[in-house]
Amino acid sequence: MARAFGAEPGGILGLDALLEEHGEAIEYDLIALGLRLRMLGTDALGWTDLRAIVKHLPMESALLRVMYPEASRWQTAEHLLADVADSLHWLMWARTDDGRRGRNRPEPIARPGLKSDRERVGTATQLDQMNEFLGWHE
């Protein structure tokens, strides 16, 4: 119904859907703030308050851990440690015969949301994706 009036879905309906799916995690985050979900709709916790809380939850929050389990485990420190480990692997490899010949490169540590070179699709598929992106459909 919100779309019929030109508005994007969200607001109370979006919060209600989020509560339906992840109510327990939201309750936990509210408890950490000294609030309770049962207060929703009162002066203590209005819908706009809940929206602001949910919108600005830190990555360590229960809600974001439930919604994005893989990404929530990878904070800045984990990314930096993976970069250090990848650099050390690359430096060790560079000193080998394979490294001097540029073959058998070490695989980087898998990170959430990124595919390794071995998981990436072949050249033909990449060309198809580029043609689609450029609008050159067959």
Side-chain angles (χ1 to χ4, degrees):
M1 179 124 126
R3 285 189 182 172
F5 296 105
E8 290 296 319
I12 292 176
L13 292 177
L15 285 171
D16 185 51
L18 196 61
L19 285 167
E20 283 286 324
E21 191 169 348
H22 304 293
E24 187 173 300
I26 294 171
E27 179 79 34
Y28 182 86
D29 288 330
L30 288 174
I31 289 170
L33 296 171
L35 301 167
R36 297 289 188 276
L37 199 51
R38 64 179 171 265
M39 297 174 171
L40 186 58
T42 68
D43 288 340
L45 181 65
W47 285 98
T48 56
D49 300 328
L50 181 61
R51 180 180 179 269
I53 290 168
V54 167
K55 187 175 180 178
H56 299 286
L57 284 171
M59 279 304 293
E60 315 72 64
S61 70
L63 177 61
L64 294 178
R65 284 193 319 263
V66 168
M67 291 178 71
Y68 308 104
E70 186 66 28
S72 67
R73 288 193 303 260
W74 279 78
Q75 301 300 314
T76 303
E78 287 77 11
H79 281 283
L80 291 173
L81 285 171
D83 286 342
V84 168
D86 287 343
S87 296
L88 289 172
H89 290 148
W90 188 87
L91 286 170
M92 290 174 15
W93 166 81
R95 297 177 55 106
T96 66
D97 285 337
D98 280 347
R100 284 189 279 282
R101 291 187 174 105
R103 61 182 184 205
N104 297 325
R105 286 180 175 251
E107 277 287 317
I109 293 173
R111 291 158 174 82
L114 300 176
K115 291 183 178 180
S116 72
D117 290 338
R118 292 181 186 150
E119 293 174 329
R120 292 181 195 190
V121 288
T123 306
T125 304
Q126 290 175 357
L127 289 175
D128 292 341
Q129 290 172 343
M130 182 57 73
N131 287 338
E132 184 176 328
F133 175 77
L134 294 171
W136 298 349
H137 302 286
E138 292 183 48

